[in-house]
Amino acid sequence: MKWIARLFFLAMFTLLFVFFLFNQHTTFVYYYKELGIEVPLAIALIISLIVGVMLGCTATLGKILRLKSELKRLDRELHS
């Protein structure tokens, strides 16, 4: 099963790398009204992917911490 995940990661990395090599068009990314920066489209997509993953992890952090504390409580209850 591990080799399937590694193969999938390698395929995604290769596709992303090829996309990055062949897509050197620049785009203007607006931050606020007229403040912005011109970056390659591939970099803008990678940054937006990373920000989305970080926001998703942050959104689930509360539930993960709550479940960990419940697991500790149940483990203490089981051993006492």
Side-chain angles (χ1 to χ4, degrees):
M1 190 67 178
K2 250 184 194 179
W3 62 274
I4 294 174
R6 288 181 181 164
L7 185 65
F8 179 74
F9 178 74
L10 181 65
M12 292 304 293
F13 179 76
T14 304
L15 286 173
L16 188 63
F17 186 72
V18 169
F19 176 74
F20 181 71
L21 285 178
F22 290 112
N23 192 4
Q24 293 297 323
H25 302 290
T26 58
T27 185
F28 198 78
V29 178
Y30 292 100
Y31 291 116
Y32 179 73
K33 292 190 180 182
E34 296 175 12
L35 296 173
I37 188 170
E38 193 168 328
V39 294
L41 182 60
I43 298 294
L45 289 173
I46 290 170
I47 290 172
S48 66
L49 175 71
I50 291 170
V51 168
V53 167
M54 290 172 64
L55 287 174
C57 289
T58 304
T60 60
L61 188 62
K63 183 154 185 125
I64 290 171
L65 292 175
R66 191 174 334 114
L67 288 173
K68 278 188 175 186
S69 67
E70 183 179 350
L71 182 63
K72 284 181 184 179
R73 182 184 58 81
L74 291 173
D75 192 39
R76 273 184 270 143
E77 185 179 309
L78 180 66
H79 288 290
S80 62

